[in-house]
Amino acid sequence: MVSYKRLNPENVQFSGALLSEEHHRPAQEDVAVPQPDSTSLLPRRLSCSITKVMLILGSLLLVLFGGWLLHTIYWLRTTSVQAHRPPPPAPGQALGPVLQADINDTVTAARSKACSAIPESWRFDCYPEKAVVVTQELCEARSCCFIPASGSTRGRSRKNGIPWCFYPPDFPSYSLVSSKDTSMGLKGTLVKDVKTYYPGDILTLEMEIRHETDTRLRVRITDPSSSRFEVPLSVPTATKKAENPEYVVELSKQPFGLVVKRKSTGTVLLNTTVAPLFYADQFLQFSTALPSRFIYGLGEHRSTFLHDVQWNTLTMWARDVPPTEQTNLYGVHPFYLAMEDGGDAHGFFLLNSNAMDVALQPGPALTWRTIGGILDFYVFLGPDPGSVVQQYVEVIGQPAMPIYWALGYHLCRWGYKTSNATWEVVKRMRNYGIPQDVQWNDIDYMDQAKDFTFDPMNFNTLPDLVRDLHAHNQTYVMMMDPGISSTQPEGSYWPFDEGLKRGVFIKDAEGKTLIGKVWPGLTAFPDFSDEATHEWWYENLQRFHEKVPFDGLWIDMNEPSNFLDGSTVGCPSNSLENPPYTPGVLGGLLRSKTVCASAQQKLSTHYNLHSLYGLMEAKATASALKRILAKRPFVISRSTFPSHGSYSGHWLGDNRSHWKDLYTSIAGMLTFNLLGIPLVGADICGFSEEPQEELCVRWTQLGAFYPFARNHNSLDMNPQDPTAFSPSARTAMKQALLLRYSFFPFLYTLFHHAHIKGHTVARPLMFEFPKDVKTYGIDSQFLWGRSLLVTPVLEPGVDYVDGYFPEGLWYDFYTGDSVSSKGEELRLSAPMDKINLHLRQGSIIPTQEPNVTLWISSGQPLHLVSALSDDGSASGDLFWDDGETIDTYETERYTYVAFNVSQNTMTSSVLHSDQEGSFLSIDSASFYGVKQKPSAVLVNSQKFPFIYRDNQVLSVASLGLRLTQNFTISWM
């Protein structure tokens, strides 16, 4: 039998050019993998022939027994042994009953000892099915170890517990029987001869290892005899093998296993030898050891930013459900980022869209368990966390550059009830001088909840409202659901009639239009995997835009959500609806509150495409808006998948007006930034339940620093827009929003870097301080870019907040007062009208005088704020364009200026200029951390008046400098 154990040098085969200096290194020398004492744990009889039995019984009984016993006690140490034992003796050829019983007892004892030797944290679940009480009989029928976990009273731990049934070290798996070098890496054939307990075992596999770049490794494991579903995501195709990869790849032949190490440190990033590989038609599974417990990503789930590895299973299958712990939510993102000892980071991406479980355990280790497709995965070498995200989005697609007003304040609710009531809220916001760029409407604007309609009675003035918004440099966004009403009289509802004629709707297993139920009643669902549907979707939006000239779209309910399980006629009973293994999806069935898994789409079955539905709708919607508006499209989607950021932003779903939801929104925002969707935010003040004034004030302060800032609440709840509260609360909210608008040039530049370089906008502290382990779990604070530290109040009834300050100089944004930290937590004053902001040493950020819309404030002069390092240096930049034209960077219609401070002199360098930049001027500048009062300040070599304060802040004003002309400001 084969063993899952620490590999010896002779077990390892190196790929390609890695054969040389690494040839004698053990493949797992740095990984704590258990080494049980015995080999055979499967219930098999002795592997001996009749001749051997007779000879042994005749003359060498004791020698055989002693040798056999030693063989069962110790692990097999080389890969030259057979992958599996020979068949057991045929019936009638067994040993004598007394000797057989003795040997069986010995086998049982050896098996028990080997199972017991596996530490609890390294036990990989052999019976992951839900709603099954696993007995010893069931477990051993799978040839697995059965040991009740210490301190447990349950038949098997279901969630967050040690498995009672787990793989023995000799569980049968694949062997690498042949391999050959290729121009990109290596190809190999994997074979196994013992089928496992899931049907449809694929016994021969093809593995391809591709050294795509120095920091990106790709591995594909496929069925060479039959094509299987592959995610239709456009990924880069490398044509040249990496010349100096930062990774080392090692292969175990028998059992097959893959080990990936960081060349510079030897850290094991991936180690699949810790548990068996499964590759059946509807069950694919592999496990890996992790270098640490610091794991992030794996969206979409409501949790802390740092995932818990204490027996924590995260299920992925797009689902309409309010954010809830231990539940599969709206999006699916099979990507994680892991921190290593010393501050390095790497990433892992499984390109698979089928329903899956990702099981974390305290080894630390992780198991991928998916029910379709292929195994196609990437390892990203970083080495810093930001570089990991950059390398990931190079594969899935860079985030889109948002239209400028997307970064303003958005206001929405379900329950305005009339267009005039909506209009009144907008007018109140204007009257109080509270910034607002975008007004939204939820589903109540529609006529009987039908897409591409508006209520002719209650929303009869909707077109007038939109025209008024445009006259005030504001914009309008409306909801659009995918469910299309199917019950209107023939000829009365063009979207359904035309869609039926063109065949754009999802079909059931019999080829008939599948009918479910959503807000308008019985509905059909567009098949966005079909290009014909994209054209139909565009034509519907174009026709509606002629009536209501909307500026952007909110695509909701696109998991897709269904009020029924499957359809009006149910779903067929087959393996797609009831697979051999169903991940831990809410409801227990793949069809729970969505369409049938067996439903037919143009590209494949819904079983394969379900979690891609929101992405495909986002692509169709963004494309349609580009054609209709000839501007950057604004789309906000609920359901998401990798590459979604290229087409759409995301809001974190139907949260609640609770303090806990306020806190968890930060983790959600940070997670989606590392998933390549930087335009993200939560519903400010909470969506459901009655908003509390204090909570809403604090939430508005935090929400002012969401990359996407929208206040949204639910039907029949009290209003929660800023005008609905007391004068003091309203003032505090207004101040927070004006603060956001003043940061617009900085925020817009951050989105430029996200679009071009794959940077995060809202950023966890650990991204900038990866060597400071204290930052690894922080999700109550965050950064904008590398420069601005945000420390919000997240608890009721306090006028202070505790925040962690990594080592270095930090400056209070409002005053310029400095804090020199050694890496410590500090208590900050936080009255009701304040959110704490600090600038990091060495940064320069551009700000503007804010106004009620970004259109107005973006024309105001700039103010530059420099936070000097201890040596007096700082740097920053500004990207500027017209804010709405598509691909301005790609077509070089932009201005880009770099700022630098060194040796008491600020310089600007215009690296690229365009007409839009010529309209901006720089009116003032502040320098935090100027240690001595200057005797003079020179602006372009001319003396200039200045102000110097005791807290070492130097300010100059009324500069009148053109952005597109280089300048200097110096002091002496």
Side-chain angles (χ1 to χ4, degrees), residues 59-324:
S59 59
L60 298 172
L61 181 60
L62 293 177
V63 174
L64 171 66
F65 182 76
W68 182 91
L69 182 58
L70 289 173
H71 182 68
T72 60
I73 294 176
Y74 296 100
W75 287 103
L76 293 173
R77 294 297 182 181
T78 71
T79 59
S80 59
V81 297
Q82 292 174 295
H84 304 284
R85 292 174 181 268
Q93 297 174 335
L95 301 177
V98 176
L99 181 59
Q100 182 71 69
D102 290 342
I103 293 177
N104 285 344
D105 289 345
T106 304
V107 171
T108 300
R111 180 188 303 129
S112 176
K113 185 175 182 181
C115 291
S116 299
I118 301 175
E120 290 183 343
S121 63
W122 286 99
R123 294 177 181 177
F124 292 88
D125 199 348
C126 179
Y127 222 116
E129 284 83 351
K130 311 301 181 289
V132 177
V133 177
V134 181
T135 63
Q136 183 170 353
E137 181 181 17
L138 287 173
C139 178
E140 291 181 350
R142 292 188 170 186
S143 301
C144 288
C145 300
F146 183 82
I147 299 178
S150 58
S152 177
T153 59
R154 304 180 66 185
R156 174 190 177 274
S157 57
R158 279 290 140 214
K159 279 188 176 180
N160 301 324
I162 303 162
W164 288 23
C165 184
F166 54 96
Y167 297 109
D170 55 2
F171 194 90
S173 187
Y174 292 88
S175 300
L176 178 64
V177 298
S178 66
S179 63
K180 63 179 181 180
D181 289 340
T182 67
S183 62
M184 290 298 299
L186 178 144
K187 282 189 177 181
T189 300
L190 311 179
V191 172
K192 71 174 181 180
D193 11 273
V194 176
K195 291 190 175 182
T196 54
Y197 46 85
Y198 284 113
D201 252 327
I202 300 168
L203 299 182
T204 300
L205 302 173
E206 182 175 275
M207 173 199 63
E208 181 182 15
I209 298 175
R210 297 174 62 86
H211 301 191
E212 294 198 335
T213 73
D214 288 347
T215 56
R216 185 176 81 223
L217 176 72
R218 186 180 186 184
V219 178
R220 286 168 51 86
I221 301 177
T222 57
D223 178 1
S225 64
S226 178
S227 62
R228 295 172 60 82
F229 176 76
E230 297 189 31
V231 179
L233 193 67
S234 178
V235 296
T237 303
T239 58
K240 183 181 179 183
K241 184 178 178 180
E243 295 181 356
N244 187 29
E246 297 180 12
Y247 43 84
V248 176
V249 180
E250 302 173 352
L251 299 175
S252 165
K253 289 184 178 181
Q254 190 176 6
F256 166 72
L258 178 68
V259 176
V260 180
K261 294 181 178 181
R262 185 179 298 281
K263 184 183 293 185
S264 60
T265 63
T267 301
V268 177
L269 312 183
L270 185 72
N271 174 14
T272 71
T273 69
V274 295
L277 167 67
F278 283 76
Y279 208 116
D281 183 41
Q282 290 182 275
F283 186 83
L284 293 80
Q285 176 179 283
F286 68 100
S287 303
T288 179
L290 296 169
S292 79
R293 64 181 180 84
F294 299 110
I295 303 298
Y296 311 85
L298 298 173
E300 178 176 13
H301 297 91
R302 173 166 153 138
S303 69
T304 53
F305 179 55
L306 171 63
H307 283 300
D308 181 8
V309 298
Q310 297 297 315
W311 306 107
N312 180 20
T313 297
L314 304 170
T315 299
M316 296 188 189
W317 180 250
R319 179 62 149 86
D320 172 7
V321 59
T324 307

Side-chain angles (χ1 to χ4, degrees), residues 809 811 816 818 866-873 901 904-905 925-937 946-955 970-972:
L809 270 175
Y811 296 91
S818 63
S866 301
L868 304 184
S869 297
D870 196 50
D871 63 0
S873 64
V901 176
N904 297 346
T905 301
S926 294
F927 302 89
Y928 297 170
V930 178
K931 295 179 180 179
Q932 293 182 343
K933 182 178 181 179
S935 59
V937 170
F946 66 91
I947 297 174
Y948 183 81
R949 298 200 301 269
D950 291 341
N951 61 349
Q952 300 185 341
V953 173
L954 170 66
S955 299
S970 59
W971 58 94
M972 59 186 71

Side-chain angles (χ1 to χ4, degrees), residues 725-737:
F725 296 100
S726 68
S728 61
R730 184 170 63 242
T731 299
M733 294 180 190
K734 176 180 177 179
Q735 288 175 348
L737 296 175

Side-chain angles (χ1 to χ4, degrees), residues 703-768:
F705 292 91
Y706 291 156
F708 166 60
R710 182 186 70 165
N711 180 317
H712 176 46
N713 73 328
S714 185
L715 188 68
D716 297 328
M717 298 294 110
N718 289 330
Q720 63 185 34
D721 63 88
T723 70
F725 296 100
S726 68
S728 61
R730 184 170 63 242
T731 299
M733 294 180 190
K734 176 180 177 179
Q735 288 175 348
L737 296 175
L738 287 170
L739 189 61
R740 175 188 180 86
Y741 276 51
S742 72
F743 280 113
F744 172 70
F746 176 51
L747 181 60
Y748 194 68
T749 301
L750 292 177
F751 269 98
H752 163 71
H753 290 305
H755 172 56
I756 299 305
K757 302 176 183 176
H759 289 181
T760 51
V761 173
R763 188 171 302 174
L765 271 70
M766 71 163 194
F767 269 49
E768 291 297 322

Side-chain angles (χ1 to χ4, degrees), residues 641-657:
F641 191 81
S643 83
H644 211 105
S646 299
Y647 311 98
S648 168
H650 173 63
W651 97 103
L652 296 173
D654 295 340
N655 59 2
R656 302 167 183 84
S657 295

